[in-house]
Amino acid sequence: MTGKELDHQHAVYSYGSLPLTLMYSPTATAAWEVYYGGEYLGLIEEEHRSGELWPSFVARFPGEEEDGEGIPAKDWRVAVETLAARAGL
């Protein structure tokens, strides 16, 4: 996939009955911005740790994307649900 195609990549994830939009964020690591109804809920970054076969994920809250530690998760869905729960959804 080219960079231009990735710039427009998005997905919809159902959190209960609520549709959350995940938008690909072109950064140094694979990352997705999470939105609900246009409201930014945070960022999910994919991490590749040495010695582990599968990636892990980190949920980063708004304003903490660059310097916050975030909440680690083994599954991307858990990271999405962490952001949604923190937003009170």
Side-chain angles (χ1 to χ4, degrees):
M1 205 176 290
T2 68
K4 190 172 190 174
E5 290 170 326
L6 286 175
D7 287 344
H8 295 91
Q9 189 174 6
H10 71 278
V12 176
Y13 175 75
S14 294
Y15 177 65
S17 63
L18 303 175
L20 304 180
T21 302
L22 283 68
M23 301 284 293
Y24 179 76
S25 179
T27 62
T29 62
W32 295 83
E33 296 173 355
V34 181
Y35 294 88
Y36 172 65
E39 178 185 348
Y40 175 66
L41 304 182
L43 185 73
I44 297 172
E45 287 185 322
E46 184 176 305
E47 291 187 338
H48 295 271
R49 298 186 179 168
S50 84
E52 291 194 22
L53 182 61
W54 301 106
S56 60
F57 301 88
V58 177
R60 301 191 186 280
F61 303 116
E64 300 177 7
E65 295 91 336
E66 297 296 324
D67 56 1
E69 288 186 26
I71 307 275
K74 291 285 185 188
D75 188 289
W76 66 269
R77 291 170 288 250
V78 173
V80 171
E81 292 176 6
T82 299
L83 295 175
R86 172 103 186 267
L89 299 180

